[in-house]
Amino acid sequence: MKKIIAIILIYLAISAPVLAHKPSDSFISIESVGKSWQFRWNIGLRDLEFAIGLDRDQNGLLTRGEVTSQSNIISAYALSRIKINSTGEACQTPLDDFEIKKLEDGNYASLTFSAQCPNTENVELNYSLFFDFDPTHRGLISVRNNDQTFSYVVSDSSPVLALSRIDQSGLNTLSSFLREGIWHIWIGFDHVLFLLTLILPAVLFRRNHAWQSTDNIKIAMIETLKIVTVFTIAHSITLSLASLQILTFPSRFVESMIAFSVLVTAINNLRPFFRHSRWIVAFGFGLIHGFGFANVLLDLGLSGQQTALSLLGFNLGVEIGQLVIVIIFLPLIYLIRDSLFYRWGLLRVGSSVAAVIASIWLVERLFDYQLLTI
Amino acid sequence: MASSFARNEYTRTGDSFYSPRFWLPLSLIMFFIFLIWWWSDEQSILVTSIEDENDILLVLQTRSNAESSREKQLKTHTEDYPEDIDSVAELTQLYIERSRKESDPRYLGYAQHLLNPWWSNQKPPLVIQRLRAILLQSQHQFAPALADLNALLQSYPGDAQSLLTRATVHQVLGNYTSALKDCTNLLRYAPLPAIACVASIQSLTGQTTDARNLLAGIEPQLASQPVSTRQWIRTLQGEIAVRKNQPDQAEKYYQLALTEPLRSAYLLREYSQFLLDNNSNEKVLSLLEDETHDDSLLLHAAIAADKTQNKDKLRQYSDLIETRLRNAKLRGENNHYYLEARYALDLEKKSGKALLLAKSNWQKSKEPRDTELFVAAAVANDDQSSLHKISDWMLSQKAVLPSVMALLNTNGSGSQ
């Protein structure tokens, strides 16, 4: 008997171990979105095949059809092996989506779900996938929290990960909200359009019912920075009020008002009615835009004790983002202030285009109807 | 107010409605607006890939019905009776074999789970301890594996399987004298594995001709051996030819090994290294195209991509290597020193980092490639004390590795 075993196992023993596959891992990426946690969980089909036996027709080939037709079984199996609790109470983990994803070492079932917890304190993840037959299996977890990513591993011997303990220092909060502020002014097309429309005539001044070009960029720059800062002060006020839930408006109203603000500013460039006081426009509409920013900030999630820092960081970020736009844009239009391209192409045609876009937005937002894809 | 833009105001710079100075920038702006529009809408423009129900997502190793039903039967049985030694031993052995056949470490995990009731026992039943030793060795845990094997062989000096396993562990650890002793003892119990075992040690200690002749002697028996055994011996013959500096012979044996219906990572590793040494980089790229799941093969593919200046492939493979190292570290594994060290030396060109890692790797494992990497890193750093360490070890074990000795001699490690 011994001899037979030896011959069967010869190649097991003599050649040094060379294993082609990487070991069994599942990958979880977790993102904190507002008050809930969003999960994407990639689980190897190779592991699932061993655990549940997905190859129904036993032909040695696992097809897309076989996997998708068993997506319910797979999801139920997996979701019963991840428990998320907050202060000891179980959170609901409803499945949002089931996909098949190709990762570097093969195909994975990719589950998306969110954890809805009775409260947000002490959220814990308890992982037990495949440990019932493979103690070498690991869950590799990456947690994204306000622009930062942390990596963790859960194993048979340490299956629990505390999510709410992943906190950040004040400085991190400040800097990550600062970055978010900059980013959101840049990708917020309506805010950028408002800002550009507002500063478009900044290299001109009115005399005798006509635009005259200025010859002093310093004055033009200072005037514009004043306007932008007034805008920031105004939106900081309403942003804070709205984020702290002291004063809120329905988002459809706010969004419509933002579109209206672009429209008014654009028309003001064509047929000025706020003569010498663009800063009043800036302040008034700043109040409106602040409510718009608040929606973004609420989506990002404000953590309890660091609300003030988050608000400060976000407002500073928005201000910096705006200043960058002004500093790039103003010298450009200053250089071409006398050209026909500026006076016709930008000031008149540009403002008209802005007015048209704003009108479309206004209609869309007021009546909740999609006209444009932007 | 209606005439706020008096005509003379915007014509004073000499611009005209019809001049290109007006229309060119305007059309550019219109173009960019169109681009933004298109970009925001691209999701509907891009053709979504059609996914077929019959796409094959995973190919499972084909096994006979008898094999898979026996495995299922044992799996169910051991779930109900996790301490039934006979069933546990049979299934553990099946899993270890599968991990080898399919080059898949997850079966080692399944096997470890089966041995769980005895995993930390000082003195488990013989059959369990033997399997535990094989498992530990497969997981590169050589010290506990040796402890099990020593204890076993103390009580049962003629246990063929344990002798063979211990010879392997000794060989990986670079203790050629002890390995040879175990192989020789094995001759009485299991001649064919023992001969392969002896030849393997001889090929590392300068007796390449003896090794070749020994293997030639068992040639007639090879046809009746399992595919994996035959392929392993062919690969060993290829390695011996490389050490004898007979590239044509080596190519012949590697090709023979490749004709077997099995793509073992061990064979591909040795053959692709041989090709790299002979600058057949394009061949390496096509050979390893679909084999990048293995660390060493991925590394060889990346080196070949680097040598052929195939930037896209190099980027792709390097990204894979970095992801794998990151995940391995996260897992807490420490058996990736070789990959990390050679990646640092050959691709990142960070020889200092490579030396530290290659040294740690060599302390754990002294297969020829480990020594080759260590000596290359030591030479790159002109680290005489490491070179001395290597030549001292080679002297004590009578190791003869031409590739290593060439480097040692030209870099003045005096003791050679």
Side-chain angles (χ1 to χ4, degrees):
Chain A
M1 180 63 188
K2 270 178 198 163
K3 197 165 166 180
I4 293 168
I5 291 180
I7 289 169
I8 290 172
L9 288 184
I10 166 176
Y11 58 90
L12 304 185
I14 293 192
S15 59
V18 177
L19 295 171
H21 289 277
K22 61 186 238 23
S24 159
D25 294 324
S26 87
F27 299 92
I28 306 182
S29 39
I30 307 176
E31 198 162 350
S32 110
V33 179
K35 285 177 180 166
S36 80
W37 297 91
Q38 200 70 44
F39 290 74
R40 178 180 281 286
W41 191 7
N42 296 331
I43 308 168
L45 290 183
R46 198 174 282 281
D47 296 308
L48 287 166
E49 154 62 23
F50 185 85
I52 353 185
L54 298 172
D55 185 21
R56 280 293 139 100
D57 57 7
Q58 306 263 331
N59 67 345
L61 298 173
L62 206 56
T63 60
R64 185 176 297 278
E66 274 173 315
V67 176
T68 44
S69 68
Q70 297 176 78
S71 63
N72 287 339
I73 303 172
I74 296 174
S75 309
Y77 178 86
L79 289 175
S80 68
R81 282 159 174 81
I82 192 163
K83 296 270 175 263
I84 295 152
N85 300 307
S86 69
T87 342
E89 280 182 88
C91 308
Q92 297 293 311
T93 50
L95 183 73
D96 291 331
D97 195 21
F98 180 94
E99 280 176 282
I100 294 162
K101 276 207 160 174
K102 191 165 168 47
L103 301 188
E104 60 134 327
D105 68 323
N107 285 295
Y108 281 66
S110 180
L111 283 63
T112 330
F113 59 94
S114 58
Q116 294 158 3
C117 302
N119 60 63
T120 52
E121 302 296 304
N122 305 322
V123 178
E124 258 185 8
L125 175 154
N126 196 329
Y127 183 101
S128 57
L129 185 74
F130 302 144
F131 293 153
D132 45 347
F133 57 82
D134 184 359
T136 62
H137 174 79
R138 297 286 182 272
L140 305 188
I141 302 181
S142 71
V143 182
R144 222 178 111 79
N145 199 353
N146 297 334
D147 245 19
Q148 284 181 300
T149 306
F150 305 84
S151 297
Y152 302 92
V153 60
V154 280
S155 65
D156 198 10
S157 52
S158 93
V160 178
L161 176 68
L163 287 179
S164 30
R165 249 191 269 134
I166 302 158
D167 246 338
Q168 4 178 265
S169 71
L171 198 64
N172 283 340
T173 307
L174 189 71
S175 78
S176 78
F177 274 86
L178 192 104
R179 278 199 302 274
E180 291 290 345
I182 296 176
W183 183 238
H184 278 91
I185 187 81
W186 287 351
I187 60 164
F189 195 49
D190 43 6
H191 301 299
V192 174
L193 191 61
F194 175 76
L195 197 65
L196 292 183
T197 316
L198 190 66
I199 60 178
L200 202 47
V203 289
L204 302 174
F205 62 95
R206 299 288 294 186
R207 183 183 290 162
N208 303 331
H209 299 299
W211 290 113
Q212 303 286 319
S213 58
T214 176
D215 284 324
N216 192 332
I217 188 165
K218 210 171 138 190
I219 292 175
M221 191 65 101
I222 289 170
E223 283 303 309
T224 310
L225 293 185
K226 272 187 197 163
I227 288 172
V228 169
T229 307
V230 165
F231 179 67
T232 305
I233 291 171
H235 74 61
S236 306
I237 296 171
T238 45
L239 172 60
S240 310
L241 290 177
S243 313
L244 301 173
Q245 317 257 326
I246 297 171
L247 182 64
T248 54
F249 288 104
S251 89
R252 194 154 132 203
F253 171 75
V254 172
E255 296 297 313
S256 303
M257 285 301 288
I258 290 174
F260 181 67
S261 73
V262 179
L263 181 61
V264 169
T265 317
I267 293 174
N268 190 46
N269 288 350
L270 299 170
R271 294 267 184 282
F273 36 87
F274 299 104
R275 299 262 168 92
H276 302 287
S277 45
R278 276 184 302 148
W279 70 270
I280 293 182
V281 183
F283 188 82
F285 288 136
L287 294 176
I288 306 281
H289 282 245
F291 287 110
F293 291 134
N295 290 333
V296 173
L297 196 55
L298 287 175
D299 282 346
L300 288 173
L302 280 176
S303 44
Q305 308 114 349
Q306 298 183 326
T307 309
L309 274 177
S310 312
L311 277 174
L312 179 66
F314 195 79
N315 276 315
L316 281 177
V318 169
E319 174 76 8
I320 292 170
Q322 288 174 162
L323 292 183
V324 169
I325 292 175
V326 169
I327 287 164
I328 294 171
F329 189 68
L330 200 67
L332 285 180
I333 56 170
Y334 180 78
L335 284 177
I336 58 164
R337 67 193 181 282
D338 281 330
S339 73
L340 191 57
F341 169 64
Y342 169 67
R343 295 190 158 230
W344 265 95
L346 279 181
L347 193 57
R348 301 193 100 181
V349 177
S351 295
S352 306
V353 169
V356 170
I357 294 177
S359 314
I360 295 173
W361 280 342
L362 186 58
V363 173
E364 280 184 348
R365 292 171 182 184
L366 276 177
F367 304 105
D368 200 13
Y369 179 78
Q370 187 83 13
L371 291 173
L372 280 178
T373 45
I374 287 184
Chain B
M1 182 115 38
S3 62
S4 56
F5 283 86
R7 188 157 180 92
N8 63 355
E9 205 181 305
Y10 52 72
T11 49
R12 68 176 178 184
T13 54
D15 277 340
S16 145
F17 235 156
Y18 306 103
S19 103
R21 282 181 69 183
F22 179 79
W23 288 111
L24 265 181
L26 191 63
S27 46
L28 263 177
I29 299 243
M30 299 300 275
F31 176 68
F32 279 117
I33 290 176
F34 168 76
L35 266 188
I36 292 171
W37 195 292
W38 179 78
W39 168 77
S40 70
D41 206 17
E42 74 182 329
Q43 276 171 325
S44 56
I45 292 172
L46 284 177
V47 183
T48 47
S49 63
I50 299 154
E51 292 177 338
D52 191 337
E53 286 282 287
N54 299 319
D55 278 353
I56 291 166
L57 301 179
L58 178 64
V59 180
L60 305 165
Q61 201 81 21
T62 44
R63 290 177 303 141
S64 69
N65 284 338
E67 271 181 306
S68 61
S69 66
R70 179 69 185 148
E71 191 184 303
K72 262 193 206 112
Q73 196 187 341
L74 285 168
K75 198 175 158 189
T76 327
H77 183 80
T78 50
E79 273 161 23
D80 295 337
Y81 305 98
E83 303 199 14
D84 175 355
I85 293 178
D86 288 341
S87 305
V88 163
E90 192 181 342
L91 187 56
T92 306
Q93 184 166 329
L94 274 178
Y95 283 154
I96 296 176
E97 279 172 43
R98 269 189 93 174
S99 86
R100 281 284 156 173
K101 264 190 220 156
E102 301 179 26
S103 298
D104 191 341
R106 64 197 74 209
Y107 290 102
L108 298 177
Y110 306 157
Q112 186 182 327
H113 171 72
L114 290 175
L115 298 189
N116 202 36
W118 305 273
W119 194 251
S120 36
N121 272 18
Q122 279 289 0
K123 245 188 129 31
L126 164 74
V127 59
I128 299 290
Q129 193 169 27
R130 187 199 281 136
L131 287 165
R132 186 170 75 182
I134 296 175
L135 209 52
L136 288 166
Q137 175 243 348
S138 303
Q139 295 169 337
H140 295 243
Q141 302 195 40
F142 299 124
L146 266 185
D148 265 345
L149 292 166
N150 291 340
L152 255 169
L153 287 165
Q154 193 104 49
S155 321
Y156 309 93
D159 187 53
Q161 180 61 62
S162 301
L163 275 173
L164 193 54
T165 312
R166 194 167 70 179
T168 311
V169 175
H170 280 315
Q171 182 181 328
V172 174
L173 292 176
N175 305 327
Y176 296 155
T177 324
S178 314
L180 192 61
K181 223 163 90 190
D182 283 339
C183 297
T184 322
N185 283 339
L186 186 63
L187 277 169
R188 281 167 49 203
Y189 309 103
L192 191 121
I195 286 170
C197 182
V198 169
S200 177
I201 304 295
Q202 285 179 332
S203 80
L204 297 169
T205 48
Q207 299 150 280
T208 42
T209 310
D210 294 344
R212 188 190 60 191
N213 295 342
L214 257 185
L215 291 181
I218 56 169
E219 192 75 38
Q221 297 166 52
L222 282 187
S224 61
Q225 292 299 311
V227 168
S228 46
T229 310
R230 197 163 52 236
Q231 188 179 55
W232 173 71
I233 289 179
R234 293 292 182 219
T235 312
L236 182 57
Q237 286 172 317
E239 282 184 83
I240 292 170
V242 171
R243 279 173 211 142
K244 287 176 76 68
N245 197 20
Q246 297 173 328
D248 293 345
Q249 285 288 312
E251 178 73 33
K252 186 192 98 182
Y253 284 120
Y254 286 136
Q255 287 302 336
L256 270 177
L258 283 169
T259 58
E260 301 291 347
L262 185 71
R263 287 183 71 83
S264 96
Y266 166 56
L267 163 64
L268 292 176
R269 188 182 86 185
E270 291 307 322
Y271 183 47
S272 57
Q273 182 58 54
F274 167 73
L275 290 175
L276 282 178
D277 291 340
N278 289 284
N279 245 335
S280 307
N281 302 309
E282 293 290 349
K283 265 193 188 167
V284 175
L285 284 179
S286 58
L287 178 75
L288 302 182
E289 179 84 58
D290 301 315
E291 307 287 349
T292 50
H293 41 230
D294 174 79
D295 283 356
S296 309
L297 301 183
L298 173 59
L299 190 64
H300 287 177
I303 292 171
D306 185 40
K307 285 189 175 176
T308 52
Q309 310 211 324
N310 188 334
K311 292 223 165 62
D312 290 344
K313 283 223 157 115
L314 177 62
R315 186 73 256 144
Q316 180 199 341
Y317 293 146
S318 305
D319 285 349
L320 276 179
I321 291 174
E322 280 166 20
T323 311
R324 214 166 282 177
L325 287 173
R326 217 173 25 246
N327 285 343
K329 277 197 187 129
L330 200 55
R331 271 183 144 260
E333 284 176 352
N334 57 1
N335 51 10
H336 288 261
Y337 287 147
Y338 181 84
L339 175 67
E340 204 177 357
R342 188 150 172 211
Y343 180 62
L345 186 68
D346 286 352
L347 294 168
E348 289 183 309
K349 317 282 180 203
K350 292 180 182 164
S351 56
K353 176 183 170 192
L355 178 62
L356 284 176
L357 290 161
K359 192 189 259 175
S360 309
N361 176 59
W362 192 73
Q363 269 147 12
K364 291 162 60 90
S365 161
K366 292 186 182 59
E367 289 188 79
R369 62 176 199 150
D370 300 310
T371 311
E372 282 160 12
L373 178 63
F374 186 27
V375 77
V379 166
N381 287 277
D382 194 23
D383 177 2
Q384 290 297 327
S385 95
S386 289
L387 293 175
H388 277 294
K389 241 185 216 146
I390 298 167
S391 59
D392 287 351
W393 166 75
M394 290 184 74
L395 280 178
S396 76
Q397 297 298 326
K398 302 191 176 62
V400 178
L401 297 168
S403 49
V404 172
M405 278 144 78
L407 277 174
L408 279 179
N409 288 335
T410 50
N411 289 278
S413 179
S415 47
Q416 280 295 311

